[in-house]
Amino acid sequence: MTENLSILGSTGSIGKQSLDVCRKCGYGVKALTAFSSVDEIEKQAREFKPEKVALVDEKAAADLKIKLADTDIKVLGGMDGVCECAEIQSADTVLNSVVGMAGLKPTLTAIYAGKKIALANKETLVAGGQLVMSEAKKHGVEILPVDSEHSAIFQSLVGEGDNEISKLLLTCSGGPFRKFTHEQLRHVTAADALRHPTWDMGAKITIDSASLMNKGFEVIEARWLFGVPAEKIEVLIHPQSIVHSGVEFVDGGVKAQLGVPDMKLPIQYAFSYPDRLPLQGDRLDLFRQPLEFFRPDVEKFQCLQLAYESIRKGGNMPCIVNAANEVVNLAFREGRCSFLGMGEVIEKTMQRATFDAKPDYEVYLQTDAEARRLATELLTE
C-alpha cells in the first residue's frame, strides 16, 4: 500500500485529482513536477510541502525557485529534474501523468529505482510497452493502471490467479460521432469532436476519443499490461460509460467493474491496492438507465484498426502510430487536416517509417522524430 508519492504532471487533470485523493487519504507527497505552470505548482508545493519540485521549462523553473526561496523545497529544471523526482528515495510510489512521449523516460527511471508505478501516461506503453514491461519484470516493479478501463480490467483480475483469460472486454462511449455516416464524417470539425458525450478531458484526448484512436491506444496498453494478444482484446461501444471494462474467462464467466464516470476511484485504487478505502462521491444507480453495447465500425473509424495492425506488427510500429497521431490530431484541431484524413496520414506514415522489431530507448526516440517528420510532410502532399 502506498505511503508516500511522487506525482509527475501534478498540474494536469489526473495530477490534480491525485492530490485530492492524497488530501483525503493522508498520503505524503514527496515530489511534484509539471511543464511550466509556475503559479499552480507553487500553490501545490506550499500546501503539500514536498522535498523536490521540477518544471521541464528551465525559465519557469528559475522563476519558481525565486518564489519558493523562503522554503526548504529543492527546485529542479528540465527533464533531468523530472527524472530526479521519479527516483526520489522517500517516495514508494510514482504517479506518472506526464503528457506525451516525455513520460517514457521518467517511467524507466522509476523502474530502475524500484518504485511502484501508478501509470496514467499512455505513451509509456503505447510507444514503449515492449521495453517498459521487460524492464519492469527484470526489476520486479509493479505497474498499476490509472486509466479507468485498464483499472477495471485489473480489478476484475484480482483474486483470479493463473485462471486463463478468454478475452478482455474494453469499453468506450463511442464519442460524439458514433451514429454518423461515413459521408457525415467528411465534414465534421474539431469543435464538433470536442463535445464528448460523457467525459470531460483535454482537447487532444477528446479528439482521440472521437476518432477511436484513444481506444486503439488502450488496446495496445492492455496487450502489455495484461500479456494478452490483440486478437483476445475486444472493443465494445458502451454509450453509458457505466461498465468500465471487464474480463471473460475460459469457462464463459465475465467479471467487470462498474461505476459512475469518475477518475478518482481508479486513482485511489492504484494508490491503496490491495486495500479499498472509503471514497466520497456519487454512487451508481442501475435503475436509472439501460446498459447498451455495440460493435465499433472500423471502416468508419480507421484509427482503431490501425492501432490493432500496429500491435500485431509489434516492434516500434505502435511508436510510429503514436507519433503520427499526435501530428494529425493537432492538425485537425487547427483545421489543417480533415477528420477522415487523420487515419489516411497515419496509415501512410506506417508504410514509410523505418521498422525495427527490437527497439531500445534510443530507437524509440529516433522513431518518434522520424514519424513526426513524415506525418508533417504527408499533411502537405
Side-chain angles (χ1 to χ4, degrees):
M1 185 174 174
T2 295
E3 293 182 3
N4 294 305
L5 285 135
S6 173
I7 299 183
L8 314 183
S10 66
T11 61
S13 175
I14 297 297
K16 289 178 180 177
Q17 291 181 79
S18 298
L19 288 174
D20 195 32
V21 170
C22 291
R23 286 187 192 97
K24 292 173 179 171
C25 297
Y27 295 123
V29 177
K30 299 302 180 180
L32 296 168
T33 83
F35 185 78
S36 62
S37 305
V38 175
D39 292 340
E40 185 70 32
I41 204 167
E42 181 195 359
K43 291 177 186 176
Q44 294 175 347
R46 291 190 181 279
E47 177 183 357
F48 290 95
K49 300 176 174 57
E51 295 173 20
K52 300 178 181 180
V53 297
L55 290 176
V56 177
D57 185 286
E58 298 276 7
K59 183 180 182 303
D63 293 342
L64 181 64
K65 190 170 185 178
I66 294 170
K67 287 178 176 287
L68 292 177
D70 61 322
T71 73
D72 295 327
I73 300 169
K74 184 178 180 181
V75 179
L76 305 163
M79 185 50 65
D80 287 344
V82 174
C83 288
E84 188 171 327
C85 290
E87 62 185 2
I88 188 169
Q89 188 172 1
S90 55
D92 49 78
T93 299
V94 175
L95 170 79
N96 186 352
S97 61
V98 172
V99 176
M101 269 291 285
L104 178 56
K105 187 175 181 181
T107 297
L108 291 169
T109 301
I111 288 172
Y112 299 144
K115 306 297 183 183
K116 182 175 86 171
I117 298 171
L119 189 60
N121 168 258
K122 282 190 177 300
E123 287 74 13
T124 288
L125 294 180
V126 171
Q130 188 170 314
L131 173 65
V132 168
M133 295 310 291
S134 173
E135 292 300 303
K137 183 177 181 180
K138 188 188 302 181
H139 290 83
V141 166
E142 192 170 28
I143 297 181
L144 300 180
V146 168
D147 182 89
S148 62
E149 289 84 356
H150 299 114
S151 176
I153 292 170
F154 180 74
Q155 292 178 57
S156 299
L157 288 170
V158 170
E160 290 294 340
D162 294 327
N163 286 330
E164 189 177 346
I165 294 169
S166 176
K167 60 184 172 180
L168 303 182
L169 305 171
L170 202 59
T171 62
C172 66
S173 71
F177 306 139
R178 178 172 64 87
K179 296 182 179 180
F180 279 41
T181 65
H182 197 276
E183 183 58 32
Q184 286 176 310
L185 289 177
R186 293 182 185 277
H187 307 290
V188 299
T189 66
D192 299 326
L194 289 170
R195 288 191 281 268
H196 194 280
T198 309
W199 295 92
D200 181 15
M201 305 174 291
K204 193 266 182 185
I205 194 171
T206 304
I207 299 300
D208 283 344
S209 295
S211 70
L212 296 196
M213 180 55 92
N214 186 59
K215 200 52 49 179
F217 286 159
E218 289 177 5
V219 169
I220 297 171
E221 291 178 272
R223 182 264 176 272
W224 294 116
L225 279 168
F226 307 110
V228 173
E231 57 267 23
K232 288 190 175 184
I233 304 173
E234 183 175 356
V235 172
L236 292 78
I237 303 294
H238 173 48
Q240 294 79 26
S241 298
I242 297 297
V243 178
H244 294 302
S245 282
V247 181
E248 179 185 295
F249 296 93
V250 289
D251 61 0
V254 175
K255 289 175 68 174
Q257 186 261 327
L258 286 67
V260 296
D262 186 346
M263 284 303 299
K264 285 181 184 169
L265 190 153
I267 291 169
Q268 180 171 297
Y269 190 70
F271 294 169
S272 68
Y273 173 78
D275 298 333
R276 287 188 180 271
L277 303 180
L279 178 63
Q280 298 300 314
D282 295 335
R283 291 295 189 259
L284 179 61
D285 182 357
L286 287 173
F287 294 105
R288 290 180 59 189
Q289 57 190 351
L291 302 180
E292 301 173 297
F293 301 91
F294 306 96
R295 294 186 187 277
D297 186 335
V298 292
E299 290 187 7
K300 284 195 305 183
F301 297 97
Q302 182 188 13
C303 288
L304 177 59
Q305 186 62 37
L306 294 175
Y308 269 102
E309 289 177 15
S310 75
I311 197 60
R312 292 188 184 104
K313 179 77 172 178
N316 66 336
M317 190 57 72
C319 183
I320 293 167
V321 169
N322 177 73
N325 179 69
E326 288 205 8
V327 171
V328 298
N329 183 300
L330 178 60
F332 175 63
R333 282 180 276 152
E334 294 179 346
R336 296 182 288 110
C337 180
S338 68
F339 184 80
L340 294 177
M342 290 192 290
E344 294 168 2
V345 171
I346 294 169
E347 184 176 31
K348 289 178 182 176
T349 305
M350 293 170 69
Q351 294 166 352
R352 298 186 188 184
T354 305
F355 177 70
D356 191 315
K358 296 181 179 180
D360 58 18
Y361 178 69
E362 293 302 321
V363 168
Y364 284 129
L365 295 183
Q366 294 163 11
T367 297
D368 181 72
E370 181 191 22
R372 288 174 189 274
R373 176 181 55 78
L374 287 169
T376 301
E377 292 171 358
L378 284 163
L379 282 169
T380 61
E381 286 188 359

